[in-house]
Structure formats: C-alpha cells, structure tokens
C-alpha cells in the first residue's frame, strides 16, 4: 500500500540564511522517496513565513493553496500554505 508523508521543519533564527534548512529538506525528501513507497510529501508554511515557503519551493515543492491548520504547540488554528512534492 502506498502512502503519503508529511514533512515539518524548524530552525533557530541564529542559523537562518545559511542554506542549512534547504540542504536538510532536500536530503530528507530524496531519502524518503528512495526508502519508502510514497508518491507525495506534504508540507505547510504559515502565510507570513516567507523563509519556509522559499525553502520548500527551492526543494521542489509546489504551493497548492491555502487552508487552516491546527497548531497544537501554539494552541491556535493558523492559515497556512499547503505545499506538495511528488515522486519524479
């Protein structure tokens, strides 16, 4: 049975702008597609989080629209962009 996976990422602000997260997301995405029989990886970025959006786009994810997402860590419901990347 094929499954989809979700991907989340966070990085301390002291390390923003160095390409670490782009490298990590790209490496993890490649690993997941090689290791597991999945067709799609989904990730989310808050509407105001331009850095996360750029990381996902740089790593081949496509913005497929907006939706509300529950954030248990914050105890809020946030408006987010949904990104998807398919196996190539």
């Amino acid at each position: 049975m094929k499954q989809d996976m979700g991907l989340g990422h966070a990085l301390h602000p002291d390390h923003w702008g160095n390409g670490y997260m782009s490298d990590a997301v790209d490496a993890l995405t490649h690993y997941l597609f090689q290791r597991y029989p999945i067709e799609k990886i989904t990730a989310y970025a808050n509407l105001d989080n331009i850095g996360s959006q750029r990381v996902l786009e740089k790593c081949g994810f496509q913005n497929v629209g907006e939706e509300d997402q529950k954030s248990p860590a914050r105890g809020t419901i946030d408006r987010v962009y949904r990104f998807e990347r398919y196996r190539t």
Side-chain angles (χ1 to χ4, degrees), residues 68-82:
D68 291 328
Q69 184 182 55
K70 191 175 185 179
S71 175
R74 292 188 191 105
T76 59
I77 296 177
D78 299 325
R79 193 74 178 161
V80 297
Y81 288 121
R82 178 185 176 108

Side-chain angles (χ1 to χ4, degrees), residues 34 40 46-47 50 63 73:
Q34 288 175 358
K40 177 178 69 176
N46 284 4
L47 300 184
I50 304 300
N63 184 335

Side-chain angles (χ1 to χ4, degrees), residues 25-57:
V25 168
D26 192 53
L28 181 58
T29 300
H30 286 295
Y31 173 79
L32 292 173
F33 281 132
Q34 288 175 358
R35 176 70 174 88
Y36 298 99
I38 57 174
E39 292 299 316
K40 177 178 69 176
I41 300 172
T42 303
Y44 300 90
N46 284 4
L47 300 184
D48 62 350
N49 192 335
I50 304 300
S52 287
Q53 295 168 37
R54 287 185 180 150
V55 164
L56 294 170
E57 290 168 347

